[in-house]
Amino acid sequence: MDGSLVGRDAVYERAWQALGAHHPVLLEGPAGIGKTAVWRALVAAAERAGWQVLTCAPTEAEAALPFAALADLLRPLADRVPDLPAPQRVAAEAVLLTADTAEDVADERAVGAATHTLLAAAGPRVLVAVDDAPWLDPSSERALRYALRRLGDRVAVLAACRTEGTPLGLDETRLTRIPLTPLGVGALYHVVRARLGVSLSRPIGARIARESGGNPLLAIELSRAVSRLPRPPLPGEELPVGSSLRQLLRDALAALPEVSRDAVRRAALLTVPTLADLAAAGVAADAFDAAEEAGLLAVTVSTVEFAHPMYAAAVVAGIPPGVRRRLHRALADAVADPDERARQLARCTDEPDAAVAAELAAAADRQRARGAPAVAVDLYERAAALTPAEAGTDRGRRRLAAVRCRLDSGDYAAAGAAADAVATDHSGESRAEALLLRAMVAWCADDLPGAVAAGERGLAAAPADTPLAGRVHAHLALFYDAPEPARRHAEAAIALMSAVDGDRALLAGALFQLFFQEVRAGLPARTELLDRGLELEGGRPSWLAGTVPAIWWKAIGEHDRARERLDTLLRHAVAAGDEPWQHELLTHLGEAELVAGRWDAAARHIAAARELGEQLGTGMVGETWLGGTLDAYRGRLAAARQVAEDGLRRADELGDPWSRRIHLQLAGFVALSAGQAGEAVAAYRELVATIGDAGIAEPLGQRFEPDWIEACVGAGDLDAATDGLARLAERHARQPRPWTALGLARSRVLLAGATGADPSAELAELAAARVAVPAGAVPLDRARCLLVAGMAHRRARRKREARTALEAAAAEFAAIGAGAFEARARAELARIGGRTAAPTELTPTEERVARLAAQGRTNRAIADALFISPKTVEANLARVYRKLGIATRAELGAELGREAARH
């Protein structure tokens, strides 16, 4: 509306300043209040300022077109699409309709990732501007929400919204909400004069302002109606029409010739009213002349555009149902676009019709291939409803496709209900497919018993010895917690899927599951299964059990290999926009860095997993437990205890054995760290029983036996400590690992000391074990060996050896941030009689580090020479500087010389 910025100066300035600070801006107000005019002015200002401006202005009709708005917004960045990672490139090409072939199917999550990548690289000053945000099609809205949430303040966002709420998930803490209030008489006078070229008297202007409620759009329509009168209304006379926009449009349409009224109705019923489609429907271009003169719409070179989105909606609402169906049928026969034809057919067909159902299903297939499952759902379901009863197989297939689309869209509740309905109404393969989908929904919703139950019912319904049965077996291998049934299902899946040229990624996942479950059952590790699965993946990782290789490598101390696998998987998940997979991988990375002693990196991954878990609405079990474990390592025992208690309570409520196991381990460790040996023994005893009940011989990621043994020794239960040592020895014999080697040596020293025996032989074994394990493998375990050695030497009254071991332990604990253990080491130091190290006296490790640093060696070179980590080098140097009162390496040589002279 030209001239409608009158009275909006303050609004404009406030919005422009917020955009300049990269704060999101939301223009709010009822339809017709002038949001679009302010929005357009701000967009023009950003363009003049040299910003990269990306805009879309969706309409109500376009809300049914998947990615219509996103395509408009991203089109200026189309030249960057070929440089995107493959999944994102396919997705972006599907959105922009630029793909040469339709062989690749776009994933809706990859669309969000592609949107994020394109916006992130668009330039230093980017404005994403969305007018009438409530009319965004759901697919565009999800992709933009995904991207903008991750971009933060790197882009400015301008949106206009007529309803309450916050579109696009904009950050409320940074959002600038600007409500547009009604205009006064003076401002409306200028708006009307600029728009219509008429000047109304002050009394008439005041009445129009009152009738319109200060809404510029309504004021313009009222003014147009008044200007058509032979004379202005007298003070006692009513205005020519009511204040309802629908009434105004009814009156405006009634004044049009019949041919023009019919043309306007047909244009309003089209999603995008093109002149070509309208001409094919028998509408001549000049049929719109009267409507254009009345200000209802504008005719461009190729399209018809209504003056306001509400106009089209009001026109449609005023068409009688019978007339509307007839017009939809005529338009379906005329339009060129098959998807538009399908939409028109869906609105005019009431009885089963095989041909119409096939067209709707084909349109649904296209939308699903574009990465718009939410749009495809309605088309599939409408196609199923219109499929004749005798074509029951087609109807079942279309209903199943709708369930898959609901699952892909994250609508778990609706997907579960729809899957149950299909399973009830169908038999054979359709029932099996429906129950498998129901099981997958339960798995995604953290309902593990429900996943197993639905999966087993699906297996019973599937024809025996078929690829479908193999797929169900593969999923059941994932759903089962107990290794024995999971192993049987993995073997069956491999046998069935190997016989056909089927889903290689799913077969790889079944091989990973078989390996994983055999190891958990205590069988020898057949790593050839891992190798075969990795080969089958062919660079496209399996989402089903794809983390198993990393879990294995992490368990045996090959941290770099595990990290590389998880990083690779994470890159694939990010490229595909798969947030649930990203969440799982961030949790695994957090655990990998935790056991590798890289606790800062672990904390970052755990925090990222927690943030994503909150956004996805997951139970956040794994990342919360990891956060509690990290708290316990760092000495924050109260917080860690709370995590353990909450986790155990929730595990009992959900009947989740895995969650119970990990939180029992955390509870035992917290109690042990707090000096409550009896409580720790009870937690570990229950943990061992729970593992046994599940039939798990090798709980891979759970490394609790050395702590259990230490707790038993502390509580005086040496028989239980001996049993724990035997259990740990079995695990070490089955698969030697750095932590089992160190745990065995440490536990034997503790047990020897508790029985009163001379621990010299055990201490020598402990020292040898520490030397054999690389410094970066399990740094916490290595430092705990020093702590146990220091305690044993102190009890044997070997003070010098005790002090050396305990000082080194305290230094290593400090280097990795293990506050609770550092405090224990220093408490043991304080119990040693005789002279203790003065605050300025260097420990042996500190002195060695200082002398190498004084020679000009880098931290990495020092770390390699002393078999410690670079982080430990940094921590030792910091203490050296503090003790010697210096600040740089340049001062080290001179100060060390003076120290030597003093002694």
Side-chain angles (χ1 to χ4, degrees):
M1 293 175 291
D2 295 335
S4 63
L5 275 185
V6 174
R8 303 299 191 198
D9 301 43
V11 167
Y12 173 87
E13 288 298 329
R14 182 183 172 203
W16 182 244
Q17 289 178 8
L19 292 174
H22 272 199
H23 286 190
V25 172
L26 181 60
L27 304 175
E28 298 178 298
I33 199 67
K35 302 182 299 297
T36 295
V38 177
W39 181 89
R40 287 173 177 166
L42 291 166
V43 166
E47 289 174 340
R48 289 193 300 272
W51 292 24
Q52 172 70 72
V53 179
L54 306 170
T55 66
C56 61
T59 64
E60 182 178 9
E62 290 175 334
L65 291 177
F67 300 122
L70 187 63
D72 289 343
L73 191 137
L74 294 182
R75 196 157 283 115
L77 306 178
D79 60 333
R80 302 171 187 256
V81 169
D83 297 329
L84 294 174
Q88 296 183 22
R89 176 180 50 75
V90 171
E93 288 175 345
V95 168
L96 296 170
L97 299 177
T98 58
D100 294 332
T101 67
E103 293 180 2
D104 290 317
V105 176
D107 188 293
E108 187 176 38
R109 294 166 295 194
V111 175
T115 304
H116 171 264
T117 302
L118 289 170
L119 294 182
R125 301 290 279 179
V126 180
L127 174 64
V128 173
V130 181
D131 192 16
D132 250 335
W135 293 131
L136 279 168
D137 61 273
S139 301
S140 294
E141 199 274 342
R142 280 191 290 271
L144 283 171
R145 181 186 290 263
Y146 174 96
L148 294 177
R149 186 171 68 227
R150 284 155 180 75
L151 288 167
D153 61 0
R154 285 184 283 169
V155 300
V157 181
L158 171 64
C161 183
R162 73 182 67 168
T163 57
E164 294 183 358
T166 306
L168 296 169
L170 298 176
D171 184 355
E172 288 281 3
T173 62
R174 300 174 53 251
L175 180 62
T176 300
R177 290 181 178 271
I178 303 180
L180 272 69
T181 55
L183 294 178
V185 177
L188 286 175
Y189 171 84
H190 291 289
V191 170
V192 169
R193 187 174 64 175
R195 182 68 174 82
L196 301 180
V198 299
S199 297
L200 302 175
S201 67
R202 178 73 181 183
I204 293 295
R207 292 184 64 186
I208 289 175
R210 184 170 60 252
E211 286 286 333
S212 68
N215 185 300
L217 178 64
L218 291 176
I220 288 170
E221 295 305 322
L222 284 168
S223 300
R224 179 181 283 116
V226 168
S227 68
R228 292 181 181 140
L229 295 175
R231 62 171 176 79
L234 297 175
E237 295 177 339
E238 292 185 358
L239 294 180
V241 292
S243 59
S244 162
L245 178 60
R246 185 173 296 179
Q247 179 63 49
L248 287 169
L249 284 187
R250 276 201 294 265
D251 293 343
L253 284 171
L256 297 177
E258 177 63 29
V259 64
S260 184
R261 185 163 59 250
D262 182 71
V264 171
R265 283 174 168 176
R266 291 174 189 253
L269 289 172
L270 285 171
T271 309
V272 178
T274 67
L275 292 178
D277 284 342
L278 289 164
V283 179
D286 59 6
F288 293 105
D289 289 351
E292 192 167 20
E293 290 174 4
L296 293 178
L297 48 78
V299 179
T300 70
V301 174
S302 60
T303 63
V304 173
E305 297 179 357
F306 283 87
H308 192 279
M310 288 188 65
Y311 286 5
V315 169
V316 171
I319 304 175
V323 176
R324 192 185 306 179
R325 281 195 297 273
R326 176 175 58 79
L327 292 176
H328 278 308
R329 179 74 249 185
L331 290 170
D333 292 338
V335 296
D337 181 69
D339 292 333
E340 180 66 21
R341 172 177 165 79
R343 279 187 285 274
Q344 298 294 333
L345 287 173
R347 290 173 171 84
C348 68
T349 309
D350 295 325
E351 299 298 325
D353 187 314
V356 171
E359 286 196 58
L360 294 180
D365 291 340
R366 288 190 294 272
Q367 299 306 338
R368 187 180 181 191
R370 288 192 71 200
V375 175
V377 164
D378 294 333
L379 289 167
Y380 278 128
E381 290 183 342
R382 187 69 179 137
L386 294 176
T387 301
E390 58 270 20
T393 301
D394 288 340
R395 177 182 291 178
R397 185 173 63 252
R398 288 159 185 169
R399 292 178 70 186
L400 284 170
V403 176
R404 292 189 189 94
C405 287
R406 289 195 184 280
L407 180 59
D408 290 343
S409 301
D411 190 354
Y412 297 153
D420 285 336
V422 176
T424 299
D425 296 342
H426 293 267
S427 59
E429 290 193 3
S430 293
R431 174 175 169 80
E433 291 279 10
L435 289 169
L436 176 56
L437 286 169
R438 185 65 186 87
M440 293 170 66
V441 170
W443 172 261
C444 292
D446 292 331
D447 178 11
L448 305 191
V452 169
E456 289 288 5
R457 289 166 57 209
L459 184 61
D465 302 328
T466 62
L468 173 57
R471 288 172 45 226
V472 180
H473 278 300
H475 284 82
L476 281 168
L478 175 68
F479 298 156
Y480 270 102
D481 177 63
E484 188 53 34
R487 186 167 62 86
R488 290 198 305 270
H489 284 297
E491 289 174 338
I494 293 166
L496 290 173
M497 289 192 293
S498 297
V500 296
D501 186 15
D503 189 329
R504 292 169 61 90
L506 194 61
L507 177 56
L511 289 164
F512 293 152
Q513 272 296 325
L514 178 58
F515 169 81
F516 182 61
Q517 300 300 348
E518 284 186 349
V519 170
R520 294 178 79 224
L523 300 175
R526 291 198 289 160
T527 54
E528 64 271 18
L529 293 173
L530 285 185
D531 295 337
R532 184 182 167 199
L534 291 169
E535 182 180 356
L536 275 172
E537 283 186 335
R540 296 175 67 92
S542 167
W543 70 269
L544 184 78
T547 56
V548 163
I551 293 172
W552 171 247
W553 294 326
K554 179 173 52 179
I556 63 176
E558 295 186 17
H559 300 304
D560 290 340
R561 200 173 180 187
R563 188 182 299 115
E564 181 181 359
R565 169 73 176 182
L566 293 171
D567 284 337
T568 299
L569 294 177
L570 185 59
R571 284 194 297 274
H572 278 273
V574 169
D578 191 333
E579 289 188 314
W581 199 12
Q582 291 176 46
H583 172 256
E584 178 185 356
L585 294 167
L586 286 167
T587 304
H588 277 289
L589 277 166
E591 184 177 16
E593 300 297 20
L594 192 66
V595 297
R598 294 168 33 136
W599 291 355
D600 289 342
R604 289 193 297 273
H605 290 310
I606 294 168
R610 191 189 304 273
E611 180 182 355
L612 194 52
E614 289 175 351
Q615 296 166 3
L616 293 171
T618 69
M620 299 196 297
V621 175
E623 63 267 42
T624 302
W625 164 70
L626 285 171
T629 303
L630 183 56
D631 280 336
Y633 286 172
R634 287 176 164 170
R636 304 165 186 162
L637 298 183
R641 185 184 296 276
Q642 190 63 56
V643 169
E645 292 173 354
D646 292 345
L648 287 170
R649 183 167 54 251
R650 188 167 184 272
D652 288 340
E653 292 171 356
L654 298 177
D656 186 344
W658 169 74
S659 179
R660 179 158 190 80
R661 290 197 297 270
I662 61 176
H663 285 99
L664 280 171
Q665 180 177 353
L666 177 58
F669 184 78
V670 170
L672 175 64
S673 300
Q676 298 162 336
E679 184 179 332
V681 169
Y684 287 126
R685 185 183 298 120
E686 186 176 353
L687 171 60
V688 172
T690 304
I691 291 173
D693 291 343
I696 300 172
E698 175 53 63
L700 278 177
Q702 294 196 276
R703 311 174 175 195
F704 65 91
E705 284 88 354
D707 295 328
W708 177 30
I709 295 164
E710 184 176 339
C712 290
V713 169
D717 189 349
L718 300 188
D719 289 340
T722 302
D723 292 341
L725 188 64
R727 179 188 175 93
L728 180 57
E730 287 178 7
R731 292 188 71 178
H732 182 71
R734 187 183 301 122
Q735 180 63 54
R737 285 153 277 182
W739 76 268
T740 57
L742 294 176
L744 273 173
R746 191 170 88 231
S747 299
R748 285 168 178 155
V749 171
L750 286 171
L751 200 54
T755 58
D758 180 3
S760 297
E762 287 78 7
L763 283 168
E765 179 190 339
L766 179 63
R770 227 183 88 89
V771 169
V773 172
V778 278
L780 180 62
D781 295 69
R782 295 182 83 257
R784 290 182 71 180
C785 288
L786 288 173
L787 174 59
V788 167
M791 293 166 59
H793 283 306
R794 181 185 62 77
R795 292 183 182 125
R797 303 189 183 282
R798 293 191 284 265
K799 296 182 180 180
R800 183 175 61 81
E801 291 87 344
R803 182 178 293 111
T804 298
L806 291 171
E807 286 177 344
E812 292 190 14
F813 287 137
I816 60 175
F821 286 105
E822 182 185 4
R824 284 182 61 187
R826 298 204 180 281
E828 288 291 331
L829 271 171
R831 298 175 67 180
I832 297 175
R835 183 179 62 82
T836 58
T840 58
E841 183 176 340
L842 300 183
T843 66
T845 300
E846 289 169 351
E847 185 172 356
R848 287 194 295 271
V849 168
R851 294 201 177 282
L852 291 174
Q855 296 172 12
R857 298 201 191 185
T858 64
N859 286 3
R860 170 59 67 183
I862 296 171
D864 292 341
L866 299 181
F867 298 99
I868 58 179
S869 70
K871 194 170 239 182
T872 303
V873 173
E874 290 180 15
N876 276 279
L877 279 176
R879 286 191 295 274
V880 168
Y881 292 164
R882 185 177 64 251
K883 289 179 179 182
L884 299 183
I886 60 177
T888 66
R889 291 191 181 215
E891 303 172 80
L892 265 178
E895 190 59 34
L896 289 175
R898 285 192 288 271
E899 283 288 311
R902 283 196 291 270
H903 293 286

